[in-house]
């Protein structure tokens, strides 16, 4: 059953109960007043009849014993009844002996005796011959005789009036109830229309349409519920979108990783099979062994970076406990990197170091790894250029230190910049593989930046070079400096 129907029925039930209570109270009060009025009227009438009958009896001669005969008593009552149209009465002697009665035949002797036993001043009502009668008793003051006058008065009109009032009230109540139920139905549908919208939106969201919103703009609880529901739907939509994107990224990652592994492994198996199958010349063997060595080294580097990336993925962005932050000076950091780069590739593209005497709060090992990967990428970009050069700088801007790795290499097309931090995404795959690139170096760098509450920023022009920058907070005790831009 719909909620609006429940509201309508509830209102109709309350209205019916109120109409019943009010109607019955009014009709009951009117009926009680009518009965009380009839009782007073007929009681006064009975006393008048009593006095008239007593006068008639007392005007008759008494017997030798000083009393009145039964015929004299019954004759007086009969004479009065015959002379008074509509009079219905009975005369009882000694409490149970009826000497005269013109009561309706529907009033049985049992009913008469019950009225006598009730006593003077008590009213008895009974239904007889399609009419309602009021039975009243009053004693006659006749010397030497115990006589009681039982009178019956027609009060059918009082009960008929009550029945007519009840009928009129019932018709009016039905009309009012029907109108009230109709109005309640319209009001309840209007009040529950927002709930219908909520139900419809929730059903569509459950079916997969996460763009549904209710947008109920009211100032009541339903409006507040609608706003909360829309906020929840927005959060669900964002979460589902994030999950979908995560699934797509995972699929892309697996596909790219499979491709990165399959290609060198196939070639390595081919070269190994060639060397195993039959003797080759020394030059061919050196070429095959060199290829296998380079690809094995690249796969080793790939696995190392994958392990590092997976380890960093288990940490939460920006959490102080996720990484070990400590003051790190740019001069000490650049000195370590310079020694490592000279040892690994002394004849590679030259590097210019431009420290800014900055001390930052960072994890030294992770920051070292981040800059190392950026420098290696910059050197690969400058490969083949006689004037190729990489500049690593640090400068203070307000409360932050900005690290930058700049090269004058091949540059990155604008359409590729948003995707360079995706795993295994390479702008020039042949150049990257030839230089030993793994395809996840920038992904690892971005993750390290996120753990420090920052991110990598790229600026590049094809044919002119690329600049990758990272902003980290200065150590609190270090004074702020004016922004000094790195040389072009």
């Amino acid at each position: 059953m719909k909620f609006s129907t429940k509201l309508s029925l509830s209102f109709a039930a309350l209205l019916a109960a109120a109409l019943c209570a009010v109607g019955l109270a009014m009709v009951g009060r009117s009926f009680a007043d009518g009965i009380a009025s009839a009782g007073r009227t007929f009681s006064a009438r009975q006393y008048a009849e009593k006095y008239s009958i007593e006068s008639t009896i007392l005007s008759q001669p008494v017997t030798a014993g000083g009393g009145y005969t039964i015929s004299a008593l019954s004759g007086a009552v009969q004479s009065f009844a015959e002379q008074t149209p509509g009079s219905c009465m009975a005369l009882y002697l000694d409490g149970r002996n009826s000497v005269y009665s013109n009561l309706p035949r529907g009033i049985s002797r049992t009913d008469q005796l019950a009225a006598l036993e009730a006593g003077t001043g008590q009213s008895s009502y009974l239904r007889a011959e399609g009419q309602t009668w009021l039975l009243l008793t009053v004693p006659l003051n006749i010397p030497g005789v115990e006589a009681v006058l039982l009178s019956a008065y027609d009060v059918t009109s009082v009960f008929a009036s009550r029945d007519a009032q009840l009928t009129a009230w019932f018709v009016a109540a039905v009309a009012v109830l029907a109108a009230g139920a109709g109005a309640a139905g319209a009001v309840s549908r209007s009040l529950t229309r927002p709930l219908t919208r909520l139900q419809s939106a929730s059903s569509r969201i459950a079916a997969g349409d996460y763009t549904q919103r209710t947008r109920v703009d009211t100032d009541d609880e339903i409006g507040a519920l609608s706003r909360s529901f829309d906020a929840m739907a927005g959060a669900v939509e964002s979460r589902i979108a994030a999950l979908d994107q995560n699934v797509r990224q995972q699929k892309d990652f697996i596909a790219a990783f499979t491709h990165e592994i399959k290609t060198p492994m196939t070639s390595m198996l081919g070269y190994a099979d060639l060397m195993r199958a039959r003797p080759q010349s020394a030059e061919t063997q050196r070429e095959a062994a060199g290829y296998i060595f380079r690809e094995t080294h690249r796969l080793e580097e790939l696995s190392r970076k994958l392990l590092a990336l997976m380890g960093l993925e288990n940490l939460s962005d920006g959490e102080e406990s996720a990484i070990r932050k400590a003051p790190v000076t740019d001069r000490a950091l650049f000195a370590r990197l310079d020694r490592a780069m000279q040892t690994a590739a002394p004849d590679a593209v030259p590097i210019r170091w431009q420290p800014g005497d900055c001390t930052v709060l960072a994890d030294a090992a992770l920051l070292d790894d981040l800059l190392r990967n950026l420098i290696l990428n910059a050197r690969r970009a400058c490969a083949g250029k006689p004037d190729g050069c990489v500049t690593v700088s640090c400068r203070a801007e307000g409360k932050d230190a900005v690290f930058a790795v700049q090269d004058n290499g091949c540059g990155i097309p604008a359409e590729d910049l948003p995707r360079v931090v995706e795993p295994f995404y390479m702008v020039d795959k042949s150049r990257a593989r030839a230089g030993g690139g793994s395809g996840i170096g920038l992904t690892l760098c971005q993750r390290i930046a996120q753990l420090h509450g920052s991110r990598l920023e790229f600026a590049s022009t094809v044919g002119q070079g690329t600049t990758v920058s990272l902003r980290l907070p200065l150590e609190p005790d270090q004074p702020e400096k004016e922004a000094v831009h790195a040389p072009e």
Side-chain angles (χ1 to χ4, degrees):
M1 183 182 293
K2 291 185 176 180
F3 184 61
S4 59
T5 305
K6 292 181 179 180
L7 282 178
S8 301
L9 293 178
S10 299
F11 179 81
L14 290 174
L15 181 61
L19 288 174
C20 287
V22 173
L24 292 178
M26 293 178 62
V27 173
R29 179 63 180 273
S30 176
F31 176 69
D33 291 343
I35 285 293
S37 177
R40 290 191 297 270
T41 300
F42 290 126
S43 179
R45 177 177 170 181
Q46 187 183 42
Y47 272 94
E49 294 171 346
K50 161 183 159 42
Y51 296 139
S52 178
I53 292 173
E54 287 177 344
S55 298
T56 302
I57 294 174
L58 292 176
S59 64
Q60 294 182 13
V62 297
T63 62
Y68 298 94
T69 63
I70 294 176
S71 60
L73 296 174
S74 60
V77 174
Q78 181 178 2
S79 175
F80 179 84
E82 290 175 351
Q83 295 177 7
T84 307
S87 294
C88 297
M89 57 185 64
L91 179 62
Y92 276 83
L93 300 179
D94 300 327
R96 297 185 64 87
N97 299 320
S98 175
V99 296
Y100 172 79
S101 175
N102 68 341
L103 296 175
R105 278 181 285 180
I107 301 177
S108 65
R109 177 175 174 79
T110 302
D111 297 329
Q112 297 176 31
L113 294 177
L116 291 173
E117 291 176 0
T120 304
Q122 299 299 316
S123 301
S124 300
Y125 297 91
L126 60 92
R127 189 80 173 170
E129 298 179 357
Q131 293 177 295
T132 304
W133 299 91
L134 170 62
L135 301 182
L136 296 175
T137 60
V138 65
L140 297 179
N141 295 322
I142 305 298
V145 179
E146 183 183 348
V148 177
L149 180 65
L150 173 63
S151 302
Y153 302 99
D154 186 2
V155 292
T156 304
S157 61
V158 178
F159 284 85
S161 176
R162 181 200 63 180
D163 295 341
Q165 289 177 352
L166 287 174
T167 301
W169 166 82
F170 179 77
V171 173
V174 169
V176 172
L177 187 61
V187 172
S188 62
R189 284 192 297 272
S190 176
L191 291 176
T192 58
R193 190 173 293 113
L195 296 179
T196 303
R197 292 171 60 181
L198 281 169
Q199 187 273 334
S200 177
S202 62
S203 297
R204 293 185 180 182
I205 290 176
D209 185 3
Y210 301 106
T211 61
Q212 287 295 314
R213 300 293 184 272
T214 56
R215 296 184 177 88
V216 177
D217 188 15
T218 58
D219 295 330
D220 53 13
E221 290 83 353
I222 296 179
L225 175 62
S226 172
R227 289 187 288 274
S228 299
F229 181 89
D230 290 346
M232 179 192 68
V236 170
E237 183 182 12
S238 300
R239 181 61 176 168
I240 294 298
L243 291 175
D244 290 342
Q245 183 180 8
N246 188 33
V247 170
R248 287 194 299 269
Q249 289 177 345
Q250 288 180 355
K251 289 182 178 179
D252 293 343
F253 181 89
I254 293 173
F257 178 73
T258 302
H259 178 74
E260 290 296 319
I261 294 294
K262 180 180 179 181
T263 301
M265 289 298 292
T266 301
S267 299
M268 290 164 64
L269 286 172
Y271 277 110
D273 185 61
L274 180 65
M275 295 174 65
R276 182 181 62 86
R278 59 183 181 274
Q280 302 292 328
S281 64
E283 182 180 354
T284 302
Q285 288 183 351
R286 281 196 302 272
E287 180 183 354
Y291 182 85
I292 293 174
F293 175 78
R294 289 192 302 272
E295 290 303 312
T296 302
H297 178 72
R298 194 168 71 86
L299 291 177
E300 180 188 22
E301 183 70 11
L302 174 62
S303 63
R304 184 187 70 80
K305 290 187 176 180
L306 278 175
L307 289 173
L309 180 62
M310 286 188 291
L312 294 178
E313 286 295 337
N314 293 328
L315 302 179
S316 300
D317 296 352
E319 283 190 3
E320 293 295 332
S321 60
I323 56 178
R324 294 189 295 270
K325 289 184 179 181
V328 179
T329 63
D330 58 350
R331 287 190 178 275
L333 180 64
F334 288 176
R336 288 197 304 272
L337 287 170
D338 185 42
R339 288 193 299 269
M341 292 298 169
Q342 289 294 335
T343 302
D347 299 327
V349 176
I351 303 173
R352 292 186 300 181
W353 305 94
Q354 296 179 351
D357 295 321
C358 299
T359 302
V360 298
L361 287 175
D363 187 304
L366 292 179
L367 185 57
D368 185 295
D369 199 29
L370 182 150
L371 292 175
R372 185 191 303 269
N373 278 285
L374 294 181
I375 293 170
L376 290 175
N377 282 349
R379 277 183 162 180
R380 294 189 195 101
C382 295
K385 294 192 68 172
D387 60 343
C389 180
V390 176
T391 301
V392 183
S393 63
C394 179
R395 67 183 187 275
E397 286 188 1
K399 295 182 179 181
D400 297 328
V402 180
F403 289 87
V405 177
Q406 183 179 15
D407 65 70
N408 60 349
C410 59
I412 304 173
E415 61 272 15
D416 291 321
L417 281 176
R419 300 190 61 189
V420 293
V421 296
E422 294 180 10
F424 301 111
Y425 186 82
M426 301 179 188
V427 177
D428 188 340
K429 294 185 182 293
S430 61
R431 181 189 298 273
R433 289 197 181 95
S438 63
I440 61 172
L442 287 178
T443 305
L444 184 62
C445 292
Q446 183 75 307
R447 183 59 182 152
I448 294 173
Q450 290 174 348
L451 288 172
H452 284 81
S454 183
R455 65 185 183 90
L456 299 181
E457 297 181 359
F458 295 84
S460 184
T461 303
V462 176
Q464 297 183 17
T466 303
T467 300
V468 184
S469 57
L470 171 71
R471 186 178 296 270
L472 294 176
L474 288 166
E475 203 275 331
D477 294 336
Q478 186 173 1
E480 297 182 13
K481 299 181 181 180
E482 296 293 333
V484 179
H485 297 286
E488 297 294 336

